[in-house]
Amino acid sequence: MPDRYAVIGHPVAHSKSPWIHAQFARATGEDIAYDAIDAPPDAFVAEVEKFRAAGGKGLNVTLPFKEQAFRYCAGSTARAAAAQAVNTLLLDREQPFGDNTDGVGLVRDLTANLARNLVGVQVLLLGAGGAAQGVLAPLAAAGAAAIVVANRTPARAQALAARVPGVLACGFDALGGRAFDLVVNATSAGLSGELPRLPQGLFRAGALAYDMLYGRDTEFLAMARAAGAATSDGLGMLVEQAAESFLVWRGVRPDTRPVLAALRAY
Ligand code: ATR
């Protein structure tokens, strides 16, 4: 019997995680099965407990359950505690344990796949919701000279920035006159075809605009391209966070390059 894993979310039908983990399992020879669980919004804990009782070893957690998963865990890694969100559950211990691989997934996509240097650069993180929460501390730890968190609702940016020493916060209007080497869009604006109301001139020469969404050319990426910036969607982050979860569960890190290349070609 293979060890059982799954991604839990709502909705989850279009998740690429089962396919990605199947490729990892094949390439590493690990005997696992990986499914998708669509949990009704009020049934997250019940679904996790059911999976655990049936012998499930681990879960990836996606929208909208990452914060709930953190509260559900009896213990967590430092990086999950910093994010106050869990995307990787370990269920084969006495008590459920949580980790968060989103931040390391973003940093690895930026540095390994996109060959970006993060040391000494000026970083702008757009958004202050769950997606931004998951990546702020790992981005800061990667060596940026300065990080600004900007959000439509400035108070949320301030609350998030206060968690990491040296990070500044503001609303979009207050960004005027500042320019960055890396601008990460962690807002959900692209899901509804919207563009955060950003001032002109945000991108320094050679800057990268990164949208954590994937599978669509967002208004943010189109705007950045028009402003002369290099662009990337979040597909590489998806594959890298999956590889880190696989490592946490199985103790072996799969090669992400062929999986990312296959998804890009698809
Ligand atoms: P998630 O967990 O996906 O981050 P969330 O917690 O609802 O979801 O956060 C969504 C983020 O996208 C927030 O930063 C939100 O800004 P507010 O805090 O001001 O609500 C941001 N967002 C969503 N739609 C946006 C839009 N059209 N323009 C700018 N920011 C937007």
Side-chain angles (χ1 to χ4, degrees), residues 10-113:
H10 183 74
V12 86
H14 297 291
S15 171
K16 295 183 195 302
S17 292
W19 187 84
I20 292 170
H21 281 278
Q23 306 310 305
F24 290 166
R26 190 174 309 160
T28 58
E30 293 289 309
D31 188 18
I32 71 160
Y34 189 110
D35 300 311
I37 299 171
D38 197 330
D42 59 352
F44 171 74
V45 170
E47 288 292 329
V48 173
E49 291 290 335
K50 197 163 90 184
F51 185 73
R52 188 164 176 237
K57 301 269 186 208
L59 287 168
N60 278 135
V61 182
T62 189
L63 292 178
F65 298 127
K66 292 182 188 185
E67 279 107 341
Q68 209 181 327
F70 177 67
R71 292 193 298 273
Y72 165 75
C73 287
S76 73
T77 58
R79 59 191 183 184
Q84 292 178 34
V86 156
N87 81 330
T88 306
L89 280 172
L90 291 86
L91 300 175
D92 56 356
R93 304 179 172 197
E94 220 160 274
Q95 300 278 354
F97 188 81
D99 196 358
N100 193 315
T101 65
D102 285 330
V104 72
L106 171 63
V107 169
R108 195 174 283 269
D109 190 35
L110 290 168
T111 56
N113 300 329

Side-chain angles (χ1 to χ4, degrees), residues 11 26 34 66 92 94 103 128 184 190 197 219 243 245 249 251 253:
R26 190 174 309 160
Y34 189 110
K66 292 182 188 185
D92 56 356
E94 220 160 274
V184 176
R197 295 170 61 86
E219 300 291 319
S245 294
W249 289 326
R253 174 184 288 285

